[in-house]
Amino acid sequence: MVEAKQPQPVHLSDYRPPAWRVEQVELCFALDPEQTRVTSRLSLARTTAEPEPLVLDGRELELESVAVDGRRLEPGAYEVDERHLTLCEVPERFVLETVSVIDPRANTSLMGLYVSNGVFCTQCEAEGFRRITWFLDRPDVMARYRVRIEADKAACPLLLSNGNPVEQGDLGGGRHFAVWDDPFPKPAYLFALVAGDLATLEDRFTTRSGREVTLRIHADEGHIGQCRHALESLKKSMRWDEDVYGLEYDLDLFQIVAVSDFNFGAMENKGLNIFNTSAALADPETATDADFMQVERIIAHEYFHNWTGNRVTCRDWFQLTLKEGLTVFRDQQFAADMHSPALKRIGDVVLLRDAQFAEDAGPLAHPIRPDSYVEINNFYTRTVYEKGAEIIRMIHTLLGPEQFRRGIDLYFRRHDGQAVTCEDFLAAMADASGRDLAHFARWYSQAGTPALEVRRSYDAGSGRLTLEFRQSTPPTRGQPEKLPLHIPVSMGLVGKSGRALELQLEGENEPRGTSRVLELKEPVERFTFVGVEEEAVPSLLRGFSAPVRLDAGYSREDLALLLAHDEDAFSRWEAGQTLAVRLMLQEIAAIGAGREPSLDDALPEAFRVLLGDREAEPAFLARAVSLPGRSYLAQQLDTIPVEALQRTLRFFQAGLGRRLADLWQGIFEAHAGLDPASIETSVMGRRALRNISLAYLVWGDVPGSEALALEQYRQAGNMTDRLAALRALAEGGGAAAEAALADFYEKWKHEDLVVNKWLALQASMEDARALERVRALTAHPAFSLANPNRVRALVGVFANMNLTGFHRADGAGYEFLADRVLELDRLNSQVAARLLTAFGRWRRFDAARQSAMRGQLERVLAVPGLSRDCYEIASKSVA
Ligand code: TRP
Ligand code: ZN
């Protein structure tokens, strides 16, 4: 490969403020599926004392004309190349007019202006606006926009952009127009345009200061009926942001559009959010309880961005976590308030550990604020989002809710209308609370998951219990040496009798309750509690107060005590998980040593105790009896023994299914007859517990279980139960499975989102035919490489969840993935690069698999014309 041709990284340290300011943007779109003419009029002003050339970003634009202050330039008066339009001699202030032509229908990248199901729509974050027109496409260039849209009246009765509608009318010849004006200056990544024939659901919301806001959701005619839940979620989000943060909506109109081709979940464009249908539609017939929760969460997330992201935005894309980490934290708080805080926390921690910890342990590890990137699209990661939210959560824990709120208030007071950095955020938090966050700031620049080892010693005679904490962070790519971090450890002491002990540290004159936060800053630190009257087990990292790997040296008895008595529900759940992980690792090792796996009484007994707890929420029990997943187990092993891991998981599922068959049966019956249409938190929890009981019965091959699953599949009154039964049948692998899968497709082939579930379920089936099944499905009429939801459901699930299928010993799973990546790279490099990350953990497998995975990465890298997106992932992964 030629050195100079390799895409070059951008560095945070190279940041320079923009040399030009854009005071006003006027856009006119003459929409046509193949030939849309975009006229842009930018009012520009130089920010520097010395003359500076004007360099605008642009991609795949056919430039028709350029004019300065109304005078058309000769082609020699400017330079255009693949990525820029440069004007050298220009006045200090002027109006630049460009006319360019784009082809939305041919745009398969789904960035910029494209057509989804006949609807024109845009996606501009992070750098999509440059695919629409020439612009200073960077978030620190904020401008006011006025947008005129002209389109065919029949094809596009609805014409939308950001802000307020100001004018509309007829143009003759079957065309019409609309003009929108957005009074809030915004970066180009928040621009949006939608034009098409969509149905509308409307409602109103009165803000607490009395502003009447019109709310509209638009979706295609056949799906508008499934938007009610999104609309209700929106109103809840608006109310919650007022109640908890004092933040009100700031325009008279808030609109959401649902489209079926979309690279991510949704986008927070000012006043005009655009959603993937998968994140907007929910109806009990077609969506599961998990989908309902997900829609609520994403609606909230995008709405909350109006303040954390839009009113205060990012100076540059390195600061992405400034808006994403904070907004994920806010949507987590919201969901906790709407449902159960402990359950919400458990779910978030499972996701963090399964996905983000894995990312942190691989070649793509990066700090929540990276210091360089080749392609910013590759940095919309679990680290920037979910670990970013953990960093905000730790600030919240350290400051407490009141000081945290004061910090947020100050952040908005100082920076409303600005494009800022993570330092600005931390400074507001520190100034408002009087806390020094300089040490804490290391979390922003240091990658990797810290390990925290805790040892205790107890002296019964003096009633002193000492905890010794050791922290260390493993090296990651480009960061061989790590500094100690500021880690809040929320904790308590559970006496051997089961009661919560009062906590008094040496040097304090009185106890301070049964739960408190210890702050670690050094590599090794000791804390001594006094007046500890009985031997006690420390309950550490309550609520997962920091994103670290904890080794607390618990014995089995310690874990049993915490599981039974800890006052913190999260810690009870965690004790169960720790016990399960330990037992499963033992059996994985046994299989590795050629022995048969065995299941002693510890786990069945722990589950029996849990399930016998009449006070416990059913949703909590459903979580507590769920075994740790493949990803989390794999992280505990230096080399991932594919077959042994899979066999152990199956063995535990079957063993627990059989041993506790009476309990599962009892639960299954006790929670029968639930209202299938109810999405009340308590009903969803009971459904979850009932469905995991069904799964255990099937895993255990308990007599009659397949018939039970089949019966539930046939009679189900909602998608949650139907899909749970179908999954149980598929995992049971019995004769009924194929027939049920075929039946399911026949029933639901007209509903895209349900077809995605059908594909995803089959992609996750771990039998000997896994790859053949998935390969055959890529040729199924329902599959399309051009639709990201389809790709994620089939190829993404196969590569990330199907351990034995993807990691087939002969390497055929790897070849299959690389083939799909290369095919997709030409259509949509962003989604292709996402798929490619599945190869990142090649070092963790045996020698044969290592070389097969590595070989595919090298093969991808050698392809001429590979995208920057895939180049970055592949080159970092092989290195
Ligand atoms: N800002 C969006 C969010 O988190 C993320 C997003 C949506 C996105 N679509 C995208 C990021 C396309 C990059 C490319 O809510
Ligand atoms: Zn976001």
Side-chain angles (χ1 to χ4, degrees), residues 458 463 465 494-501 531-537:
Y458 176 61
L465 185 143
V494 183
K496 288 271 154 126
S497 63
R499 76 195 167 93
L501 304 186
V532 183
E533 284 156 16
E534 56 179 300
E535 173 116 47
V537 177

Side-chain angles (χ1 to χ4, degrees), residues 125 266 268 301-302 305 323-324 327-328 385:
E125 186 178 6
E268 70 264 24
H301 179 97
E302 307 310 331
H305 266 315
K323 74 177 176 80
E324 295 304 346
T327 304
V328 171
Y385 276 65

Side-chain angles (χ1 to χ4, degrees), residues 110-111 123-127 189 262-268 274 298 301-302 305 320 323-324 327-328 376-377 380 385 830 834:
L110 313 187
M111 294 295 285
Q123 171 56 39
C124 294
E125 186 178 6
E127 298 179 335
Y189 82 87
F262 203 71
N263 283 347
F264 278 81
M267 179 63 211
E268 70 264 24
I274 299 182
I298 300 188
H301 179 97
E302 307 310 331
H305 266 315
L320 184 57
K323 74 177 176 80
E324 295 304 346
T327 304
V328 171
I376 186 58
N377 286 334
Y380 287 76
Y385 276 65
Q830 199 174 345
R834 207 41 75 110

Side-chain angles (χ1 to χ4, degrees), residues 88-258:
C88 281
E89 265 148 59
V90 283
E92 216 179 317
R93 305 178 68 90
F94 68 104
V95 174
L96 176 74
E97 184 178 299
T98 61
V99 180
S100 333
V101 174
I102 51 181
D103 183 349
R105 187 167 278 162
N107 181 356
T108 56
S109 71
L110 313 187
M111 294 295 285
L113 179 66
Y114 63 96
V115 181
S116 173
N117 269 347
V119 178
F120 289 92
C121 66
T122 56
Q123 171 56 39
C124 294
E125 186 178 6
E127 298 179 335
F129 193 71
R130 63 188 63 186
R131 293 168 174 271
I132 293 174
T133 189
W134 304 97
F135 200 71
L136 289 153
D137 191 5
R138 43 187 285 173
D140 57 355
V141 173
M142 298 171 83
R144 281 196 51 162
Y145 285 65
R146 192 179 173 89
V147 178
R148 178 184 168 95
I149 310 167
E150 304 176 358
D152 184 84
K153 225 170 157 172
C156 302
L158 193 69
L159 305 175
L160 310 176
S161 190
N162 317 84
N164 304 311
V166 290
E167 209 188 325
Q168 63 183 65
D170 220 277
L171 289 169
R175 291 181 73 82
H176 69 153
F177 77 96
V179 179
W180 291 80
D181 182 76
D182 183 356
F184 290 94
K186 64 170 176 289
Y189 82 87
L190 291 173
F191 167 80
L193 174 154
V194 172
D197 186 2
L198 294 169
T200 302
L201 192 62
E202 185 170 311
D203 208 333
R204 303 189 73 71
F205 180 87
T206 309
T207 70
R208 66 172 185 182
S209 69
R211 178 194 285 275
E212 284 283 323
V213 184
T214 300
L215 311 176
R216 287 193 194 124
I217 301 194
H218 311 277
D220 64 60
E221 185 70 51
H223 288 121
I224 196 69
Q226 297 180 23
C227 294
R228 201 69 245 177
H229 176 66
L231 196 53
E232 293 308 317
S233 301
L234 175 61
K235 288 187 285 179
K236 286 184 193 163
S237 308
M238 295 176 88
R239 185 62 70 210
W240 185 90
D241 217 10
E242 291 183 350
D243 292 347
V244 177
Y245 283 99
L247 299 172
E248 274 187 43
Y249 187 60
D250 51 13
L251 286 164
D252 302 328
L253 176 63
F254 185 81
Q255 308 198 80
I256 291 172
V257 178

